[in-house]
Amino acid sequence: MRFVLHHSALLHLAGADQHIPDEHELLAPSSSRSHVLSILHERVHAGDLDAAVARQRLGYIRELHLRLLGDAVMQRVAWEVADRLGWPTTYDAEYIALTKLQADAFIATDDRLVGAARTIVATKSVEALLDR
């Protein structure tokens, strides 16, 4: 299956150091790289996370073979998604747009976001990715 992973799901997986089977294709908007980096840096800066652990989590995410996408079509659809959901920004809408265009399901750990996404695309839990 093809999954779009929200940065919340990426960070969750990195914190748990979970193995994801090779049969899954993982996608995210190109902006997710900056989201993850910034969130981890904020946590280190606030003293909530050790810098070495943050770097380890970044390494885990790099090794996921995550395909990062972000063309003009996705941006247009993200704009439409944000309008439809009444959101002032398109950050989270990019993930939903990418799912709509390229994937079977969207995965996030934020219940509010999952609820909104579910009105537009299929959603799955993080556990759907893992070897069981």
Side-chain angles (χ1 to χ4, degrees):
M1 286 190 78
R2 296 177 86 179
F3 295 102
V4 170
L5 301 182
H6 187 257
H7 59 79
S8 64
L10 289 168
L11 291 166
H12 174 82
L13 289 164
D17 196 24
Q18 293 285 333
H19 170 73
I20 298 172
D22 292 335
E23 72 240 20
H24 298 311
E25 187 173 351
L26 308 177
L27 310 170
S30 53
S31 61
S32 68
R33 185 186 328 230
S34 295
H35 289 149
V36 167
L37 181 66
S38 184
I39 290 166
L40 287 171
H41 185 268
E42 286 176 28
R43 290 180 183 168
V44 169
H45 184 75
D48 297 331
L49 185 64
D50 181 75
V53 172
R55 285 190 292 276
Q56 182 180 16
R57 290 179 184 179
L58 282 171
Y60 170 89
I61 292 168
R62 273 193 295 278
E63 291 177 14
L64 285 178
H65 304 291
L66 188 65
R67 193 165 153 224
L68 300 173
L69 302 165
D71 65 10
V73 173
M74 190 198 78
Q75 291 173 349
R76 179 183 50 77
V77 174
W79 187 287
E80 293 167 359
V81 167
D83 280 349
R84 177 174 170 183
L85 295 173
W87 292 348
T89 69
T90 59
Y91 296 118
D92 288 337
E94 287 185 38
Y95 294 90
I96 297 168
L98 183 56
T99 306
K100 187 174 180 179
L101 293 168
Q102 300 265 346
D104 300 305
F106 171 67
I107 297 176
T109 60
D110 178 328
D111 291 337
R112 174 204 59 85
L113 178 56
V114 170
R118 193 175 288 132
T119 67
I120 300 173
V121 296
T123 63
K124 296 278 186 183
S125 69
V126 171
E127 289 74 30
L129 291 172
L130 307 177
D131 270 338
R132 293 273 183 228

